[in-house]
Amino acid sequence: MTAKSNVKLKEPELSPLALDILRLRYLAKDDSGKVQETPGEMFLRAAENIAKADLNYLRGKSDEQKQFAYNHTVKEFYNAMIALDFLPASPILMNAGNNLQQLFSDYVFVLRDSMKNIFGKLTNAAIIQQNGSG
């Protein structure tokens, strides 16, 4: 089964300020920094990525059943986001569907009393912060 939805793309009604913020922080960009998607496409990217988790619970189901469930979940998330009834945390909007897949906004580290552990965690924290989480 190919995880691609059949959702009809719509654009949300957003203020000029919201559009500016999306362009600056959330919309996918190419290597030169040029925006490559619309807000509606960003919401669809996030909804499709979130819906892929459902496929883990559909083992033994036919491809048709999996596709139906996947499409249903995509539509539910997408319609909620387009209506602005539900907006996921920033890391989901920024990172869903990219190679990093860093979708959580908060992380907890266990620190041990050693320089190697402390500085290893510091490196991890810097990478996480660089990618929009904390």
Side-chain angles (χ1 to χ4, degrees), residues 80-118:
M81 288 187 280
I82 290 298
L84 305 178
D85 291 334
F86 167 76
L87 292 174
S90 291
I92 293 172
L93 294 176
M94 291 178 201
N95 298 325
N98 71 13
N99 291 334
L100 185 61
Q101 285 294 101
Q102 184 175 307
L103 305 181
F104 298 109
S105 54
D106 297 306
Y107 291 80
V108 175
F109 295 120
V110 175
L111 284 176
R112 303 210 186 330
D113 191 13
S114 76
M115 292 300 281
K116 182 177 180 179
N117 182 264
I118 291 168

Side-chain angles (χ1 to χ4, degrees), residues 55-103:
L55 300 176
N56 295 324
Y57 302 99
L58 299 172
R59 291 187 179 95
K61 302 290 185 185
S62 71
D63 283 349
E64 186 176 280
Q65 290 169 314
K66 289 178 184 178
Q67 188 67 48
F68 179 83
Y70 174 77
N71 283 332
H72 176 75
T73 302
V74 172
K75 286 176 188 173
E76 290 288 317
F77 274 106
Y78 184 71
N79 288 333
M81 288 187 280
I82 290 298
L84 305 178
D85 291 334
F86 167 76
L87 292 174
S90 291
I92 293 172
L93 294 176
M94 291 178 201
N95 298 325
N98 71 13
N99 291 334
L100 185 61
Q101 285 294 101
Q102 184 175 307
L103 305 181

